[in-house]
Amino acid sequence: MSAVFAQGEDIFGISDKAKKPKSESGLGNVTRNVLEMFSVELSGGGSYQQFGTSFYSANPSLYPFSRFQNLDGDPLDISEENPLEMKGGDWVFPNWNGGVRINFFNLITIGGGFGQEWGNLAPMQGGDHQFDFEGATYQVDKLYGTVGLVLYDANRRRSFLNWRYRNYSSSNLYMQSELRQRARQNYPWRFIFEAEFGKLNLKKAYDAALDDGPDPYVPRLAVSDKNYYGLGLRIERDFSDYTKMFVKGGADFRSFTYAASDFSEFQELDQKVYAMQVGLAVRFPGTKRCKIVGCGVVMKHMHNGIEYRGSGIFNFQDRKVGQWY
């Protein structure tokens, strides 16, 4: 009986090992591994915003109040201990964000970018009074950063399946085979709890009532605290190793001031923005595309000990049967 030894190297150059050199030099390999952690993204959507304040002033006539009930002549009965609670809301549309994100070991994400939004300033109402903003719209620019915690993805799904099948004996071939098949399934979803923080720059929110004043371009609405924060849930779906779509919903919490007509005093306004966005993210490919003439391998494979991609970034690199085209 003679022993038959398999060839030591894959004759097709295909390898599914996790870590392979991506460059001829050690520095180049580190650089490409770091590059693969970065992605760029662009998103857009709409929001609903709410302004609110606990209004008190010794001179309410300095503010744009009106009555929406036939109660003219009655004084505004408020005090510092008993302010007038006022609320109002309207749509913010459109808004968009563009930025960069870093993925650390599919556990934590850190990102940042620039965004803009355009919103309406609907009147706030409290009791039988109405607070009419003089400007109909506003525009906000924002610089923001994000920190995200990955709650659930393919790796956590495999861990969950191992926990689900923990009571089955290793000799139960049927259940162990079912576990392996489910664990190997492509799971493209990722759920991330995300915190956002940043700075606001309010633009184009001017008071039309000041057109006859000394400076008609002085805004009465201003950002009192330029720092804001938000919380949200981000749901991602992979369309390849390097591209994904995502939906993000959450709430931002901000603070503004509104000045009296003579700028002698200010009212604090709180804003809550409930946003929903849809976006596209593209990760930088750390593995170079194979350009060797005659090599038709579409999966990740090796040439002279270096890993190459056989497909574009919009295709899965290690496709299964039925996923070749």
Side-chain angles (χ1 to χ4, degrees):
M1 181 176 180
S2 59
V4 178
F5 294 95
Q7 204 166 349
E9 183 181 351
D10 185 356
I11 61 175
F12 297 107
I14 300 174
S15 174
D16 59 359
K17 293 183 179 180
K19 296 181 179 179
K20 290 292 181 182
K22 298 179 175 65
S23 176
E24 291 80 3
S25 67
L27 178 61
N29 187 54
V30 171
T31 301
R32 289 189 168 275
N33 284 329
V34 171
L35 181 67
E36 208 162 49
M37 298 168 62
F38 286 79
S39 62
V40 294
E41 59 186 42
L42 183 67
S43 62
S47 313
Y48 185 79
Q49 60 92 3
Q50 289 182 327
F51 269 113
T53 184
S54 297
F55 179 83
Y56 168 73
S57 174
N59 300 295
S61 60
L62 298 176
Y63 296 90
F65 271 100
S66 65
R67 299 287 186 113
F68 57 86
Q69 295 182 13
N70 187 20
L71 295 174
D72 292 338
D74 292 344
L76 182 59
D77 184 19
I78 58 174
S79 64
E80 195 169 358
E81 294 76 20
N82 184 32
L84 179 63
E85 299 294 335
M86 308 196 76
K87 292 183 179 179
D90 211 327
W91 293 101
V92 179
F93 184 84
N95 58 34
W96 69 271
N97 294 326
V100 178
R101 188 171 300 267
I102 310 173
N103 187 332
F104 290 98
F105 313 110
N106 291 321
L107 178 62
I108 295 175
T109 64
I110 297 177
F114 174 79
Q116 287 184 321
E117 66 183 49
W118 292 260
N120 295 319
L121 293 171
M124 293 187 298
Q125 295 180 352
D128 60 347
H129 287 80
Q130 183 166 286
F131 191 106
D132 297 300
F133 290 106
E134 303 295 343
T137 62
Y138 73 94
Q139 179 182 334
V140 165
D141 295 347
K142 62 179 183 178
L143 289 172
Y144 65 90
T146 62
V147 177
L149 176 65
V150 180
L151 302 177
Y152 197 74
D153 63 353
N155 293 331
R156 287 157 185 78
R157 177 178 177 269
R158 282 190 288 270
S159 299
F160 176 71
L161 288 174
N162 288 328
W163 178 81
R164 283 279 306 273
Y165 284 79
R166 69 190 184 283
N167 293 327
Y168 294 105
S169 170
S170 59
S171 60
N172 189 333
L173 300 182
Y174 176 82
M175 298 307 297
Q176 295 303 319
S177 175
E178 182 179 285
L179 171 60
R180 287 192 295 271
Q181 290 182 32
R182 295 186 64 183
R184 290 173 181 171
Q185 288 176 339
N186 179 37
Y187 186 77
W189 299 98
R190 189 175 298 105
F191 298 84
I192 303 174
F193 176 75
E194 199 165 77
E196 180 176 315
F197 52 90
K199 289 184 175 295
L200 299 176
N201 180 23
L202 182 65
K203 302 169 65 176
K204 298 181 180 179
Y206 301 109
D207 187 353
L210 297 179
D211 286 345
D212 297 329
D215 189 352
Y217 300 106
V218 176
R220 293 178 67 179
L221 180 67
V223 181
S224 61
D225 184 359
K226 293 187 177 181
N227 296 315
Y228 78 94
Y229 69 94
L231 300 173
L233 178 65
R234 178 180 169 118
I235 303 175
E236 300 179 346
R237 189 191 190 283
D238 293 333
F239 286 97
S240 73
D241 295 58
Y242 301 104
T243 60
K244 59 191 173 188
M245 297 284 292
F246 65 89
V247 176
K248 180 181 176 180
D252 291 350
F253 305 92
R254 308 166 179 177
S255 180
F256 292 81
T257 60
Y258 193 87
S261 59
D262 61 356
F263 289 89
S264 61
E265 60 183 41
F266 298 86
Q267 296 294 325
E268 293 292 332
L269 305 178
D270 294 322
Q271 185 193 39
K272 299 181 180 69
V273 180
Y274 305 99
M276 181 67 69
Q277 290 203 328
V278 179
L280 172 69
V282 179
R283 185 161 61 99
F284 292 107
T287 304
K288 293 179 285 188
R289 181 74 181 268
C290 178
K291 296 183 179 180
I292 296 179
V293 178
C295 178
V297 178
V298 299
M299 299 171 68
K300 284 185 177 179
H301 57 284
M302 308 291 289
H303 289 296
N304 298 323
I306 305 299
E307 183 184 71
Y308 291 88
R309 290 182 292 117
S311 302
I313 62 173
F314 295 100
N315 299 109
F316 281 107
Q317 303 302 310
D318 295 323
R319 284 166 279 175
K320 308 298 187 296
V321 175
Q323 296 179 328
W324 293 98
Y325 302 101

